[in-house]
Amino acid sequence: MNTRIGLIQGDITKMQTDAIVNAANSSLMGGGGVDGAIHRAGGPAILEECRMIIARQGSCKTGDAVITTGGMLPARYVIHTVGPVWNGGKKNEDEMLANCYSNSLKLALAHRITTIAFPNISTGIYGYPKREAAKVAVNIVSRFLETDHFLDKVHFVCFDEENHSLYKTLLQL
Ligand code: ADP
């Protein structure tokens, strides 16, 4: 058990952390699932910044992460990362998913963020098997925290019971 990792079942838009992470798509123009919930709760400022990012750099690649304001959310920032679409498991999905977590954490550190909340990236519409995704997420975050001493707390926010119970087991809570 790592006291710098927290587990919550609920809605990530309610998190009062410095940043919340969005499971976005490469267009950064919003969508369903957690992406839709974040844009609805955060208001138009987030989409406006996403548009500026796309205008500057083009679409966001799988595994990459970008940062915007949190708009009307309790969180000050939203880190948008593009998870891999599950394609059977032989298309580097695990590496790309790990990149989502590590690139989001690196971006958080660059913005002096000390508390951050992650959803279960790729396990909704993108179809990544939940158990496999949870293993990748817990491993990469645990490894990151071994060498980082700035982040105070990383929360995993699970929307559904299945993910919550998988994380509970993996985190030995
Ligand atoms: P993806 O396209 O990356 O699969 P989804 O948004 O479809 O993204 O799903 C990612 C995860 O986010 C799923 O486990 C889903 O249950 C969860 N989710 C959906 N809405 C919320 C929310 N408001 N807060 C936290 N997690 C959410």
Side-chain angles (χ1 to χ4, degrees):
M1 190 183 143
N2 184 334
T3 55
R4 291 162 76 208
I5 300 181
L7 176 64
I8 290 163
Q9 186 175 3
D11 178 356
I12 202 166
T13 66
K14 306 277 192 277
M15 292 298 289
Q16 300 191 1
T17 40
D18 292 341
I20 64 170
V21 176
N22 181 17
N25 57 57
S26 57
S27 76
L28 301 183
M29 288 299 107
V34 70
D35 196 2
I38 288 172
H39 281 283
R40 271 196 304 279
I46 300 177
L47 196 61
E48 193 42 50
E49 278 187 52
C50 284
R51 272 189 224 289
M52 292 195 295
I53 291 167
I54 294 291
R56 203 164 56 229
Q57 64 160 52
S59 69
C60 195
K61 288 196 211 59
T62 306
D64 283 358
V66 298
I67 191 164
T68 67
T69 166
M72 298 183 303
L73 292 167
R76 197 141 63 90
Y77 296 103
V78 177
I79 292 175
H80 306 260
T81 187
V82 183
V85 175
W86 180 256
N87 242 308
K90 297 204 166 71
K91 297 256 166 33
N92 286 333
E93 292 95 329
D94 51 352
E95 195 184 324
M96 290 190 282
L97 186 61
N99 287 344
C100 288
Y101 286 91
S102 57
N103 286 329
S104 297
L105 291 169
K106 284 180 199 157
L107 198 52
L109 286 182
H111 286 77
R112 309 195 66 74
I113 284 161
T114 61
T115 55
I116 184 166
F118 281 98
N120 308 131
I121 301 166
S122 284
T123 67
I125 299 156
Y126 281 4
Y128 206 117
K130 290 179 183 175
R131 183 184 300 275
E132 304 313 316
K135 280 190 205 159
V136 170
V138 168
N139 277 338
I140 193 81
V141 169
S142 306
R143 264 175 38 209
F144 195 95
L145 290 176
E146 278 170 20
T147 53
D148 164 78
H149 299 286
F150 187 75
L151 283 164
D152 283 336
K153 196 104 184 181
V154 178
H155 299 272
F156 288 114
V157 181
C158 302
F159 203 54
D160 58 273
E161 179 55 44
E162 189 187 349
N163 266 317
H164 186 252
S165 99
L166 284 166
Y167 275 79
K168 208 167 157 195
T169 307
L170 285 171
L171 294 167
Q172 297 172 312
L173 297 171

